Amino acid sequence: TIDYLYSGGMCGIVCWTNESCDLTTYELGRKFVEAGGHNFTDDVSKLATLVDTSWGPVKCATGEAVMLGPRSYMKLTARYLILAVSPLSPTNDDDEWDGDENQDADALHYLDTGVRAAYRSSFRKIKNTGLEAVGIPTITTKNTGDTYE
């Protein structure tokens, strides 16, 4: 196991991403990449590829998280970055998961289970760091401020 323990009173940020850990696909992700600078893009590029697909390399499976750091990430005060993959899009615009009566219970169960798994995976990573504070943006709140069913 990797020991992420750092005793400098550091903080971390959970960032929702896709399986390729490509944050450049949406506006907030691009801002995150810009703020994190070269160290961030370098660390993401060094993540192991689990499998190559026609959509790109999978660096973190849905329902999982990967940890970057401790390291200085330019304009970010956080020294640890946790990239988490939920079945919901990090852009918070998944209207197909909006409680439509035609959705089957299995699909909604998959969504619920996947979101909870991504949070749990993030917490497992955070637990091993000794971080004093972690920012975790909600993935279940849409851009409009409404929540998913």
Side-chain angles (χ1 to χ4, degrees):
T1 67
I2 298 174
D3 182 10
Y4 294 113
L5 189 60
Y6 185 79
S7 59
M10 294 292 147
C11 63
I13 300 172
V14 172
C15 185
W16 299 104
T17 187
N18 54 35
E19 289 186 329
S20 293
C21 296
D22 180 3
L23 279 75
T24 64
T25 61
Y26 65 107
E27 184 179 353
L28 182 60
R30 287 188 293 275
K31 289 179 181 180
F32 196 90
V33 171
E34 182 181 323
H38 176 72
N39 287 349
F40 175 75
T41 55
D42 186 48
D43 284 358
V44 171
S45 72
K46 290 179 182 176
L47 290 173
T49 297
L50 305 175
V51 64
D52 283 310
T53 71
S54 58
W55 297 281
V58 173
K59 294 182 178 245
C60 183
T62 299
E64 295 294 326
V66 293
M67 171 86 70
L68 305 177
R71 190 168 182 179
S72 174
Y73 293 106
M74 211 165 92
K75 296 177 185 174
L76 299 174
T77 57
R79 297 298 179 250
Y80 288 93
L81 303 174
I82 301 97
L83 305 181
V85 181
S86 161
L88 288 171
S89 166
T91 59
N92 295 341
D93 61 2
D94 288 311
D95 289 334
E96 67 267 17
W97 297 110
D98 222 5
D100 180 353
E101 65 274 357
N102 295 325
Q103 291 175 341
D104 71 26
D106 288 339
L108 293 174
H109 176 74
Y110 163 78
L111 173 70
D112 182 52
T113 302
V115 170
R116 284 188 283 120
Y119 275 108
R120 275 195 305 271
S121 182
S122 298
F123 292 142
R124 280 193 302 273
K125 303 288 184 198
I126 293 164
K127 176 183 166 191
N128 295 323
T129 64
L131 289 174
E132 292 181 5
V134 177
I136 305 175
T138 59
I139 191 77
T140 57
T141 303
K142 297 185 199 181
N143 291 334
T144 62
D146 296 328
T147 58
Y148 293 100
E149 182 66 26

